[in-house]
Amino acid sequence: MATPKPIKLTVKRDFYDKTEGLKLKKAGEELTVSPDRAEKLISLGLAEKPDADAPEAAAEK
């Protein structure tokens, strides 16, 4: 079975990452984590996918 592809996230607010020995992750910092960890951080409101803030393409008029 293949290893899941890591996902890049951007930290939304400071938090202490218990998976890295309580290392402080600051808002704006980029993380590369497993898909499961990404889901957890996003659901807790601690991180988001970097392209989540990108403006959507304007519809042609």
Side-chain angles (χ1 to χ4, degrees):
M1 188 167 128
T3 304
K5 184 179 175 187
I7 296 176
K8 284 191 177 188
L9 299 178
T10 302
V11 176
K12 286 173 65 174
R13 61 177 206 223
D14 296 358
F15 71 98
Y16 290 96
D17 191 348
K18 67 181 180 181
T19 64
E20 288 191 31
L22 296 178
K23 182 179 177 190
L24 178 63
K25 302 293 185 182
K26 295 206 171 252
E29 186 176 336
E30 286 196 357
L31 302 174
T32 302
V33 296
S34 70
D36 288 343
R37 182 76 174 138
E39 248 180 69
K40 180 79 169 178
L41 294 173
I42 292 168
S43 71
L44 292 171
L46 297 174
E48 62 191 357
K49 290 184 181 178
D51 58 347
D53 288 336
E56 293 193 16
E60 289 185 36
K61 294 181 179 179

